[in-house]
Amino acid sequence: MPPSYNVYEDRCPARQVLDRLADKWALLILARIQNEPVRFNQLRRDIKGISQKVLSQTLKKLERDGLLSRSVYATVPVTVEYVLTDLGQSLVQTVNTFAHWAEQHMDAVLLSQAKYDACAVSNTATALNNSI
Amino acid sequence: MPPSYNVYEDRCPARQVLDRLADKWALLILARIQNEPVRFNQLRRDIKGISQKVLSQTLKKLERDGLLSRSVYATVPVTVEYVLTDLGQSLVQTVNTFAHWAEQHMDAVLLSQAKYDACAVSNTATALNNSI
DNA sequence: CAGGATCCAAAGCGATACTG
DNA sequence: CAGTATCGCTTTGGATCCTG
């Protein structure tokens, strides 16, 4: 069933929400946190390739959006845990479906890319850059 | 059900696919095309705010990934139609679910943002920038 | 441990002009 | 109509250093 509203409109709040979630790190973070509270440096280690700066920024956005909550414990040194809120929980199923699609169909995608590049190479060199 | 593979790994192909789809324009384009063939300038008009350059780039990526196909008809002037492939069809359900979530929960998100900003304003001016 | 602040390079994007 | 090409600017992001 297609959406019942016009998400294509510039000012649509739903689109703003969508824009926010259409972020590779945000989805990975939500997926990682889903089952258990996770600490900052644990996320940093687990989500390979994310920098400390971007992790921090993304966590702050997700907290602002109400998708996860940040809890500080007065240990020494301090302990900070991130957990999904109910709102975040309501989204994580869809995120998993997304990830699952990626797993199931990545072979088809990679094959398609290879075919596309094979054709394009014979025409211009531009396609080579796309494939890198 | 959480994903059965490790999407957090840097080299995981599924993650590369996920990264590609985690793009606000890509999702909107897939959602717009789902039911019918759409022409270039029609997409340009419908998806408010997208530039011609980015639309072109994103369409090319989606075609390369095998999610949509591009058909050229030798009319004068030329007619180009974009349609979802079967692969694209298999994804669009999830995209719709995503958009649907955004519609249903955007109020909660906006409320959370307002609360977050209201607290942060009393502390620093940085939060003001985040809210704009 | 959990970040904030800063600097700098790279990517992204809009605007514009041009093509078949 | 459906794009490509180029030019600057803006934004992003990584790397590094620093703090409670």
PDB file of all heavy atoms in Angstrom, chain C residues 5-19:
ATOM      1  P    DA C   5      32.177  22.380  22.405  1.00  0.00           P
ATOM      2  OP1  DA C   5      31.931  23.610  23.176  1.00  0.00           O
ATOM      3  OP2  DA C   5      31.255  21.983  21.305  1.00  0.00           O
ATOM      4  O5'  DA C   5      33.651  22.418  21.814  1.00  0.00           O
ATOM      5  C5'  DA C   5      34.761  22.621  22.682  1.00  0.00           C
ATOM      6  C4'  DA C   5      35.988  23.041  21.883  1.00  0.00           C
ATOM      7  O4'  DA C   5      36.642  21.856  21.368  1.00  0.00           O
ATOM      8  C3'  DA C   5      35.690  23.938  20.679  1.00  0.00           C
ATOM      9  O3'  DA C   5      36.693  24.926  20.567  1.00  0.00           O
ATOM     10  C2'  DA C   5      35.693  22.963  19.508  1.00  0.00           C
ATOM     11  C1'  DA C   5      36.714  21.908  19.953  1.00  0.00           C
ATOM     12  N9   DA C   5      36.446  20.564  19.451  1.00  0.00           N
ATOM     13  C8   DA C   5      35.244  19.937  19.370  1.00  0.00           C
ATOM     14  N7   DA C   5      35.306  18.715  18.890  1.00  0.00           N
ATOM     15  C5   DA C   5      36.653  18.531  18.640  1.00  0.00           C
ATOM     16  C6   DA C   5      37.380  17.438  18.124  1.00  0.00           C
ATOM     17  N6   DA C   5      36.823  16.291  17.755  1.00  0.00           N
ATOM     18  N1   DA C   5      38.716  17.578  18.000  1.00  0.00           N
ATOM     19  C2   DA C   5      39.275  18.739  18.380  1.00  0.00           C
ATOM     20  N3   DA C   5      38.696  19.837  18.877  1.00  0.00           N
ATOM     21  C4   DA C   5      37.367  19.658  18.984  1.00  0.00           C
ATOM     22  P    DT C   6      36.610  26.040  19.414  1.00  0.00           P
ATOM     23  OP1  DT C   6      37.121  27.305  19.990  1.00  0.00           O
ATOM     24  OP2  DT C   6      35.278  25.997  18.766  1.00  0.00           O
ATOM     25  O5'  DT C   6      37.687  25.488  18.379  1.00  0.00           O
ATOM     26  C5'  DT C   6      38.937  25.010  18.876  1.00  0.00           C
ATOM     27  C4'  DT C   6      39.786  24.457  17.735  1.00  0.00           C
ATOM     28  O4'  DT C   6      39.417  23.077  17.485  1.00  0.00           O
ATOM     29  C3'  DT C   6      39.629  25.191  16.396  1.00  0.00           C
ATOM     30  O3'  DT C   6      40.915  25.541  15.902  1.00  0.00           O
ATOM     31  C2'  DT C   6      38.956  24.179  15.485  1.00  0.00           C
ATOM     32  C1'  DT C   6      39.421  22.860  16.099  1.00  0.00           C
ATOM     33  N1   DT C   6      38.535  21.704  15.822  1.00  0.00           N
ATOM     34  C2   DT C   6      39.102  20.525  15.378  1.00  0.00           C
ATOM     35  O2   DT C   6      40.297  20.382  15.216  1.00  0.00           O
ATOM     36  N3   DT C   6      38.207  19.511  15.158  1.00  0.00           N
ATOM     37  C4   DT C   6      36.832  19.569  15.321  1.00  0.00           C
ATOM     38  O4   DT C   6      36.132  18.588  15.097  1.00  0.00           O
ATOM     39  C5   DT C   6      36.309  20.828  15.779  1.00  0.00           C
ATOM     40  C7   DT C   6      34.833  20.984  15.992  1.00  0.00           C
ATOM     41  C6   DT C   6      37.178  21.816  16.003  1.00  0.00           C
ATOM     42  P    DC C   7      41.053  26.640  14.705  1.00  0.00           P
ATOM     43  OP1  DC C   7      41.923  27.722  15.189  1.00  0.00           O
ATOM     44  OP2  DC C   7      39.715  26.955  14.165  1.00  0.00           O
ATOM     45  O5'  DC C   7      41.838  25.791  13.608  1.00  0.00           O
ATOM     46  C5'  DC C   7      42.799  24.802  14.025  1.00  0.00           C
ATOM     47  C4'  DC C   7      43.056  23.827  12.888  1.00  0.00           C
ATOM     48  O4'  DC C   7      42.067  22.765  12.923  1.00  0.00           O
ATOM     49  C3'  DC C   7      42.961  24.451  11.493  1.00  0.00           C
ATOM     50  O3'  DC C   7      44.088  24.046  10.708  1.00  0.00           O
ATOM     51  C2'  DC C   7      41.663  23.918  10.931  1.00  0.00           C
ATOM     52  C1'  DC C   7      41.563  22.560  11.625  1.00  0.00           C
ATOM     53  N1   DC C   7      40.182  22.033  11.746  1.00  0.00           N
ATOM     54  C2   DC C   7      39.945  20.678  11.503  1.00  0.00           C
ATOM     55  O2   DC C   7      40.877  19.938  11.203  1.00  0.00           O
ATOM     56  N3   DC C   7      38.680  20.205  11.605  1.00  0.00           N
ATOM     57  C4   DC C   7      37.675  21.034  11.940  1.00  0.00           C
ATOM     58  N4   DC C   7      36.451  20.523  12.031  1.00  0.00           N
ATOM     59  C5   DC C   7      37.908  22.423  12.197  1.00  0.00           C
ATOM     60  C6   DC C   7      39.166  22.881  12.082  1.00  0.00           C
ATOM     61  P    DC C   8      44.466  24.846   9.367  1.00  0.00           P
ATOM     62  OP1  DC C   8      45.898  25.164   9.435  1.00  0.00           O
ATOM     63  OP2  DC C   8      43.469  25.904   9.110  1.00  0.00           O
ATOM     64  O5'  DC C   8      44.261  23.703   8.272  1.00  0.00           O
ATOM     65  C5'  DC C   8      44.696  22.375   8.553  1.00  0.00           C
ATOM     66  C4'  DC C   8      43.949  21.385   7.682  1.00  0.00           C
ATOM     67  O4'  DC C   8      42.614  21.190   8.210  1.00  0.00           O
ATOM     68  C3'  DC C   8      43.779  21.823   6.230  1.00  0.00           C
ATOM     69  O3'  DC C   8      44.180  20.767   5.375  1.00  0.00           O
ATOM     70  C2'  DC C   8      42.286  22.108   6.104  1.00  0.00           C
ATOM     71  C1'  DC C   8      41.716  21.137   7.123  1.00  0.00           C
ATOM     72  N1   DC C   8      40.364  21.489   7.633  1.00  0.00           N
ATOM     73  C2   DC C   8      39.392  20.481   7.691  1.00  0.00           C
ATOM     74  O2   DC C   8      39.682  19.328   7.334  1.00  0.00           O
ATOM     75  N3   DC C   8      38.148  20.791   8.161  1.00  0.00           N
ATOM     76  C4   DC C   8      37.885  22.044   8.553  1.00  0.00           C
ATOM     77  N4   DC C   8      36.661  22.295   9.004  1.00  0.00           N
ATOM     78  C5   DC C   8      38.865  23.080   8.496  1.00  0.00           C
ATOM     79  C6   DC C   8      40.078  22.756   8.030  1.00  0.00           C
ATOM     80  P    DA C   9      44.574  21.133   3.835  1.00  0.00           P
ATOM     81  OP1  DA C   9      46.044  21.158   3.758  1.00  0.00           O
ATOM     82  OP2  DA C   9      43.785  22.310   3.410  1.00  0.00           O
ATOM     83  O5'  DA C   9      44.041  19.849   3.060  1.00  0.00           O
ATOM     84  C5'  DA C   9      44.255  18.554   3.625  1.00  0.00           C
ATOM     85  C4'  DA C   9      43.099  17.644   3.242  1.00  0.00           C
ATOM     86  O4'  DA C   9      41.894  18.091   3.908  1.00  0.00           O
ATOM     87  C3'  DA C   9      42.794  17.618   1.747  1.00  0.00           C
ATOM     88  O3'  DA C   9      42.657  16.272   1.330  1.00  0.00           O
ATOM     89  C2'  DA C   9      41.493  18.408   1.611  1.00  0.00           C
ATOM     90  C1'  DA C   9      40.840  18.218   2.978  1.00  0.00           C
ATOM     91  N9   DA C   9      40.024  19.351   3.414  1.00  0.00           N
ATOM     92  C8   DA C   9      40.393  20.665   3.482  1.00  0.00           C
ATOM     93  N7   DA C   9      39.446  21.461   3.940  1.00  0.00           N
ATOM     94  C5   DA C   9      38.392  20.601   4.181  1.00  0.00           C
ATOM     95  C6   DA C   9      37.088  20.812   4.684  1.00  0.00           C
ATOM     96  N6   DA C   9      36.626  22.018   5.027  1.00  0.00           N
ATOM     97  N1   DA C   9      36.286  19.744   4.801  1.00  0.00           N
ATOM     98  C2   DA C   9      36.745  18.541   4.464  1.00  0.00           C
ATOM     99  N3   DA C   9      37.945  18.205   3.990  1.00  0.00           N
ATOM    100  C4   DA C   9      38.725  19.296   3.869  1.00  0.00           C
ATOM    101  P    DA C  10      42.443  15.934  -0.240  1.00  0.00           P
ATOM    102  OP1  DA C  10      43.289  14.763  -0.546  1.00  0.00           O
ATOM    103  OP2  DA C  10      42.573  17.180  -1.030  1.00  0.00           O
ATOM    104  O5'  DA C  10      40.923  15.466  -0.276  1.00  0.00           O
ATOM    105  C5'  DA C  10      40.443  14.637   0.764  1.00  0.00           C
ATOM    106  C4'  DA C  10      38.947  14.473   0.617  1.00  0.00           C
ATOM    107  O4'  DA C  10      38.275  15.629   1.155  1.00  0.00           O
ATOM    108  C3'  DA C  10      38.483  14.325  -0.833  1.00  0.00           C
ATOM    109  O3'  DA C  10      37.623  13.212  -0.918  1.00  0.00           O
ATOM    110  C2'  DA C  10      37.764  15.652  -1.138  1.00  0.00           C
ATOM    111  C1'  DA C  10      37.304  16.099   0.243  1.00  0.00           C
ATOM    112  N9   DA C  10      37.214  17.548   0.417  1.00  0.00           N
ATOM    113  C8   DA C  10      38.139  18.486   0.055  1.00  0.00           C
ATOM    114  N7   DA C  10      37.798  19.716   0.346  1.00  0.00           N
ATOM    115  C5   DA C  10      36.556  19.569   0.946  1.00  0.00           C
ATOM    116  C6   DA C  10      35.656  20.498   1.490  1.00  0.00           C
ATOM    117  N6   DA C  10      35.884  21.814   1.513  1.00  0.00           N
ATOM    118  N1   DA C  10      34.501  20.016   2.016  1.00  0.00           N
ATOM    119  C2   DA C  10      34.277  18.703   1.992  1.00  0.00           C
ATOM    120  N3   DA C  10      35.053  17.732   1.512  1.00  0.00           N
ATOM    121  C4   DA C  10      36.185  18.235   0.999  1.00  0.00           C
ATOM    122  P    DA C  11      37.095  12.763  -2.429  1.00  0.00           P
ATOM    123  OP1  DA C  11      37.477  11.351  -2.564  1.00  0.00           O
ATOM    124  OP2  DA C  11      37.483  13.734  -3.485  1.00  0.00           O
ATOM    125  O5'  DA C  11      35.502  12.843  -2.237  1.00  0.00           O
ATOM    126  C5'  DA C  11      34.961  12.519  -0.968  1.00  0.00           C
ATOM    127  C4'  DA C  11      33.655  13.249  -0.753  1.00  0.00           C
ATOM    128  O4'  DA C  11      33.915  14.653  -0.563  1.00  0.00           O
ATOM    129  C3'  DA C  11      32.691  13.139  -1.937  1.00  0.00           C
ATOM    130  O3'  DA C  11      31.467  12.630  -1.470  1.00  0.00           O
ATOM    131  C2'  DA C  11      32.577  14.572  -2.483  1.00  0.00           C
ATOM    132  C1'  DA C  11      32.938  15.408  -1.264  1.00  0.00           C
ATOM    133  N9   DA C  11      33.552  16.694  -1.592  1.00  0.00           N
ATOM    134  C8   DA C  11      34.699  16.910  -2.281  1.00  0.00           C
ATOM    135  N7   DA C  11      35.013  18.180  -2.408  1.00  0.00           N
ATOM    136  C5   DA C  11      33.991  18.837  -1.749  1.00  0.00           C
ATOM    137  C6   DA C  11      33.735  20.200  -1.523  1.00  0.00           C
ATOM    138  N6   DA C  11      34.525  21.185  -1.970  1.00  0.00           N
ATOM    139  N1   DA C  11      32.624  20.524  -0.827  1.00  0.00           N
ATOM    140  C2   DA C  11      31.829  19.530  -0.379  1.00  0.00           C
ATOM    141  N3   DA C  11      31.971  18.215  -0.530  1.00  0.00           N
ATOM    142  C4   DA C  11      33.075  17.931  -1.231  1.00  0.00           C
ATOM    143  P    DG C  12      30.294  12.330  -2.542  1.00  0.00           P
ATOM    144  OP1  DG C  12      29.538  11.157  -2.029  1.00  0.00           O
ATOM    145  OP2  DG C  12      30.859  12.323  -3.894  1.00  0.00           O
ATOM    146  O5'  DG C  12      29.369  13.618  -2.374  1.00  0.00           O
ATOM    147  C5'  DG C  12      29.009  14.048  -1.068  1.00  0.00           C
ATOM    148  C4'  DG C  12      28.187  15.311  -1.161  1.00  0.00           C
ATOM    149  O4'  DG C  12      29.039  16.442  -1.436  1.00  0.00           O
ATOM    150  C3'  DG C  12      27.134  15.266  -2.267  1.00  0.00           C
ATOM    151  O3'  DG C  12      25.892  15.662  -1.689  1.00  0.00           O
ATOM    152  C2'  DG C  12      27.637  16.280  -3.313  1.00  0.00           C
ATOM    153  C1'  DG C  12      28.479  17.225  -2.475  1.00  0.00           C
ATOM    154  N9   DG C  12      29.616  17.822  -3.178  1.00  0.00           N
ATOM    155  C8   DG C  12      30.588  17.160  -3.883  1.00  0.00           C
ATOM    156  N7   DG C  12      31.499  17.952  -4.386  1.00  0.00           N
ATOM    157  C5   DG C  12      31.111  19.218  -3.975  1.00  0.00           C
ATOM    158  C6   DG C  12      31.700  20.486  -4.209  1.00  0.00           C
ATOM    159  O6   DG C  12      32.720  20.735  -4.841  1.00  0.00           O
ATOM    160  N1   DG C  12      30.966  21.510  -3.605  1.00  0.00           N
ATOM    161  C2   DG C  12      29.814  21.332  -2.877  1.00  0.00           C
ATOM    162  N2   DG C  12      29.247  22.429  -2.384  1.00  0.00           N
ATOM    163  N3   DG C  12      29.256  20.155  -2.647  1.00  0.00           N
ATOM    164  C4   DG C  12      29.949  19.146  -3.229  1.00  0.00           C
ATOM    165  P    DC C  13      24.558  15.485  -2.507  1.00  0.00           P
ATOM    166  OP1  DC C  13      23.536  15.035  -1.528  1.00  0.00           O
ATOM    167  OP2  DC C  13      24.849  14.674  -3.708  1.00  0.00           O
ATOM    168  O5'  DC C  13      24.198  16.961  -2.940  1.00  0.00           O
ATOM    169  C5'  DC C  13      24.341  18.027  -1.985  1.00  0.00           C
ATOM    170  C4'  DC C  13      24.311  19.343  -2.703  1.00  0.00           C
ATOM    171  O4'  DC C  13      25.623  19.642  -3.230  1.00  0.00           O
ATOM    172  C3'  DC C  13      23.342  19.373  -3.891  1.00  0.00           C
ATOM    173  O3'  DC C  13      22.284  20.268  -3.609  1.00  0.00           O
ATOM    174  C2'  DC C  13      24.199  19.813  -5.086  1.00  0.00           C
ATOM    175  C1'  DC C  13      25.449  20.384  -4.426  1.00  0.00           C
ATOM    176  N1   DC C  13      26.675  20.234  -5.239  1.00  0.00           N
ATOM    177  C2   DC C  13      27.460  21.356  -5.520  1.00  0.00           C
ATOM    178  O2   DC C  13      27.096  22.457  -5.085  1.00  0.00           O
ATOM    179  N3   DC C  13      28.578  21.213  -6.261  1.00  0.00           N
ATOM    180  C4   DC C  13      28.928  20.008  -6.709  1.00  0.00           C
ATOM    181  N4   DC C  13      30.050  19.911  -7.431  1.00  0.00           N
ATOM    182  C5   DC C  13      28.143  18.848  -6.441  1.00  0.00           C
ATOM    183  C6   DC C  13      27.028  18.998  -5.709  1.00  0.00           C
ATOM    184  P    DG C  14      21.139  20.486  -4.691  1.00  0.00           P
ATOM    185  OP1  DG C  14      19.851  20.448  -3.973  1.00  0.00           O
ATOM    186  OP2  DG C  14      21.390  19.583  -5.829  1.00  0.00           O
ATOM    187  O5'  DG C  14      21.408  21.992  -5.163  1.00  0.00           O
ATOM    188  C5'  DG C  14      21.789  22.966  -4.191  1.00  0.00           C
ATOM    189  C4'  DG C  14      22.070  24.292  -4.862  1.00  0.00           C
ATOM    190  O4'  DG C  14      23.369  24.260  -5.497  1.00  0.00           O
ATOM    191  C3'  DG C  14      21.077  24.686  -5.956  1.00  0.00           C
ATOM    192  O3'  DG C  14      20.895  26.102  -5.915  1.00  0.00           O
ATOM    193  C2'  DG C  14      21.765  24.222  -7.238  1.00  0.00           C
ATOM    194  C1'  DG C  14      23.253  24.428  -6.898  1.00  0.00           C
ATOM    195  N9   DG C  14      24.147  23.455  -7.522  1.00  0.00           N
ATOM    196  C8   DG C  14      23.952  22.105  -7.629  1.00  0.00           C
ATOM    197  N7   DG C  14      24.936  21.476  -8.222  1.00  0.00           N
ATOM    198  C5   DG C  14      25.840  22.476  -8.522  1.00  0.00           C
ATOM    199  C6   DG C  14      27.103  22.399  -9.168  1.00  0.00           C
ATOM    200  O6   DG C  14      27.680  21.403  -9.611  1.00  0.00           O
ATOM    201  N1   DG C  14      27.709  23.654  -9.271  1.00  0.00           N
ATOM    202  C2   DG C  14      27.151  24.829  -8.809  1.00  0.00           C
ATOM    203  N2   DG C  14      27.866  25.940  -8.999  1.00  0.00           N
ATOM    204  N3   DG C  14      25.965  24.906  -8.202  1.00  0.00           N
ATOM    205  C4   DG C  14      25.370  23.703  -8.094  1.00  0.00           C
ATOM    206  P    DA C  15      19.845  26.808  -6.912  1.00  0.00           P
ATOM    207  OP1  DA C  15      19.229  27.909  -6.137  1.00  0.00           O
ATOM    208  OP2  DA C  15      19.007  25.777  -7.560  1.00  0.00           O
ATOM    209  O5'  DA C  15      20.797  27.446  -8.019  1.00  0.00           O
ATOM    210  C5'  DA C  15      21.913  28.231  -7.610  1.00  0.00           C
ATOM    211  C4'  DA C  15      22.720  28.668  -8.821  1.00  0.00           C
ATOM    212  O4'  DA C  15      23.577  27.574  -9.236  1.00  0.00           O
ATOM    213  C3'  DA C  15      21.894  29.063 -10.055  1.00  0.00           C
ATOM    214  O3'  DA C  15      22.356  30.304 -10.555  1.00  0.00           O
ATOM    215  C2'  DA C  15      22.123  27.916 -11.049  1.00  0.00           C
ATOM    216  C1'  DA C  15      23.494  27.403 -10.628  1.00  0.00           C
ATOM    217  N9   DA C  15      23.706  25.983 -10.913  1.00  0.00           N
ATOM    218  C8   DA C  15      22.846  24.964 -10.652  1.00  0.00           C
ATOM    219  N7   DA C  15      23.308  23.772 -10.999  1.00  0.00           N
ATOM    220  C5   DA C  15      24.560  24.048 -11.522  1.00  0.00           C
ATOM    221  C6   DA C  15      25.561  23.219 -12.057  1.00  0.00           C
ATOM    222  N6   DA C  15      25.448  21.894 -12.162  1.00  0.00           N
ATOM    223  N1   DA C  15      26.705  23.808 -12.477  1.00  0.00           N
ATOM    224  C2   DA C  15      26.821  25.152 -12.371  1.00  0.00           C
ATOM    225  N3   DA C  15      25.944  26.027 -11.881  1.00  0.00           N
ATOM    226  C4   DA C  15      24.822  25.398 -11.467  1.00  0.00           C
ATOM    227  P    DT C  16      21.602  31.023 -11.759  1.00  0.00           P
ATOM    228  OP1  DT C  16      21.712  32.475 -11.524  1.00  0.00           O
ATOM    229  OP2  DT C  16      20.283  30.384 -11.942  1.00  0.00           O
ATOM    230  O5'  DT C  16      22.508  30.651 -13.007  1.00  0.00           O
ATOM    231  C5'  DT C  16      23.927  30.760 -12.915  1.00  0.00           C
ATOM    232  C4'  DT C  16      24.577  30.081 -14.105  1.00  0.00           C
ATOM    233  O4'  DT C  16      24.592  28.646 -13.906  1.00  0.00           O
ATOM    234  C3'  DT C  16      23.862  30.312 -15.450  1.00  0.00           C
ATOM    235  O3'  DT C  16      24.710  31.067 -16.305  1.00  0.00           O
ATOM    236  C2'  DT C  16      23.608  28.906 -16.002  1.00  0.00           C
ATOM    237  C1'  DT C  16      24.579  28.054 -15.180  1.00  0.00           C
ATOM    238  N1   DT C  16      24.169  26.639 -15.016  1.00  0.00           N
ATOM    239  C2   DT C  16      25.040  25.657 -15.406  1.00  0.00           C
ATOM    240  O2   DT C  16      26.136  25.896 -15.876  1.00  0.00           O
ATOM    241  N3   DT C  16      24.574  24.377 -15.231  1.00  0.00           N
ATOM    242  C4   DT C  16      23.351  23.999 -14.712  1.00  0.00           C
ATOM    243  O4   DT C  16      23.048  22.821 -14.602  1.00  0.00           O
ATOM    244  C5   DT C  16      22.481  25.092 -14.329  1.00  0.00           C
ATOM    245  C7   DT C  16      21.139  24.783 -13.767  1.00  0.00           C
ATOM    246  C6   DT C  16      22.936  26.335 -14.497  1.00  0.00           C
ATOM    247  P    DA C  17      24.127  31.589 -17.744  1.00  0.00           P
ATOM    248  OP1  DA C  17      24.670  32.932 -18.005  1.00  0.00           O
ATOM    249  OP2  DA C  17      22.664  31.370 -17.788  1.00  0.00           O
ATOM    250  O5'  DA C  17      24.819  30.564 -18.741  1.00  0.00           O
ATOM    251  C5'  DA C  17      26.217  30.277 -18.614  1.00  0.00           C
ATOM    252  C4'  DA C  17      26.570  29.092 -19.496  1.00  0.00           C
ATOM    253  O4'  DA C  17      26.109  27.872 -18.874  1.00  0.00           O
ATOM    254  C3'  DA C  17      25.917  29.139 -20.890  1.00  0.00           C
ATOM    255  O3'  DA C  17      26.892  28.938 -21.905  1.00  0.00           O
ATOM    256  C2'  DA C  17      24.897  28.014 -20.861  1.00  0.00           C
ATOM    257  C1'  DA C  17      25.528  27.050 -19.860  1.00  0.00           C
ATOM    258  N9   DA C  17      24.562  26.169 -19.228  1.00  0.00           N
ATOM    259  C8   DA C  17      23.395  26.510 -18.625  1.00  0.00           C
ATOM    260  N7   DA C  17      22.710  25.486 -18.150  1.00  0.00           N
ATOM    261  C5   DA C  17      23.496  24.397 -18.472  1.00  0.00           C
ATOM    262  C6   DA C  17      23.343  23.020 -18.255  1.00  0.00           C
ATOM    263  N6   DA C  17      22.297  22.492 -17.631  1.00  0.00           N
ATOM    264  N1   DA C  17      24.320  22.202 -18.709  1.00  0.00           N
ATOM    265  C2   DA C  17      25.367  22.737 -19.330  1.00  0.00           C
ATOM    266  N3   DA C  17      25.623  24.003 -19.593  1.00  0.00           N
ATOM    267  C4   DA C  17      24.639  24.797 -19.132  1.00  0.00           C
ATOM    268  P    DC C  18      26.439  28.984 -23.469  1.00  0.00           P
ATOM    269  OP1  DC C  18      27.539  29.627 -24.206  1.00  0.00           O
ATOM    270  OP2  DC C  18      25.067  29.529 -23.542  1.00  0.00           O
ATOM    271  O5'  DC C  18      26.386  27.442 -23.898  1.00  0.00           O
ATOM    272  C5'  DC C  18      27.524  26.598 -23.648  1.00  0.00           C
ATOM    273  C4'  DC C  18      27.166  25.144 -23.921  1.00  0.00           C
ATOM    274  O4'  DC C  18      26.223  24.687 -22.918  1.00  0.00           O
ATOM    275  C3'  DC C  18      26.501  24.904 -25.284  1.00  0.00           C
ATOM    276  O3'  DC C  18      27.241  23.945 -26.010  1.00  0.00           O
ATOM    277  C2'  DC C  18      25.109  24.384 -24.941  1.00  0.00           C
ATOM    278  C1'  DC C  18      25.308  23.809 -23.547  1.00  0.00           C
ATOM    279  N1   DC C  18      24.062  23.798 -22.726  1.00  0.00           N
ATOM    280  C2   DC C  18      23.519  22.571 -22.333  1.00  0.00           C
ATOM    281  O2   DC C  18      24.089  21.520 -22.674  1.00  0.00           O
ATOM    282  N3   DC C  18      22.385  22.549 -21.586  1.00  0.00           N
ATOM    283  C4   DC C  18      21.803  23.705 -21.234  1.00  0.00           C
ATOM    284  N4   DC C  18      20.704  23.642 -20.498  1.00  0.00           N
ATOM    285  C5   DC C  18      22.341  24.969 -21.624  1.00  0.00           C
ATOM    286  C6   DC C  18      23.456  24.967 -22.368  1.00  0.00           C
ATOM    287  P    DT C  19      26.807  23.570 -27.550  1.00  0.00           P
ATOM    288  OP1  DT C  19      28.042  23.408 -28.323  1.00  0.00           O
ATOM    289  OP2  DT C  19      25.760  24.522 -27.981  1.00  0.00           O
ATOM    290  O5'  DT C  19      26.160  22.138 -27.393  1.00  0.00           O
ATOM    291  C5'  DT C  19      26.929  21.054 -26.862  1.00  0.00           C
ATOM    292  C4'  DT C  19      26.088  19.782 -26.888  1.00  0.00           C
ATOM    293  O4'  DT C  19      24.998  19.916 -25.941  1.00  0.00           O
ATOM    294  C3'  DT C  19      25.442  19.490 -28.246  1.00  0.00           C
ATOM    295  O3'  DT C  19      25.653  18.121 -28.571  1.00  0.00           O
ATOM    296  C2'  DT C  19      23.959  19.770 -28.010  1.00  0.00           C
ATOM    297  C1'  DT C  19      23.812  19.444 -26.537  1.00  0.00           C
ATOM    298  N1   DT C  19      22.673  20.126 -25.870  1.00  0.00           N
ATOM    299  C2   DT C  19      21.739  19.351 -25.231  1.00  0.00           C
ATOM    300  O2   DT C  19      21.794  18.143 -25.185  1.00  0.00           O
ATOM    301  N3   DT C  19      20.722  20.069 -24.635  1.00  0.00           N
ATOM    302  C4   DT C  19      20.560  21.437 -24.614  1.00  0.00           C
ATOM    303  O4   DT C  19      19.614  21.956 -24.047  1.00  0.00           O
ATOM    304  C5   DT C  19      21.574  22.182 -25.314  1.00  0.00           C
ATOM    305  C7   DT C  19      21.502  23.681 -25.363  1.00  0.00           C
ATOM    306  C6   DT C  19      22.578  21.501 -25.897  1.00  0.00           C
TER     307       DT C  19
END
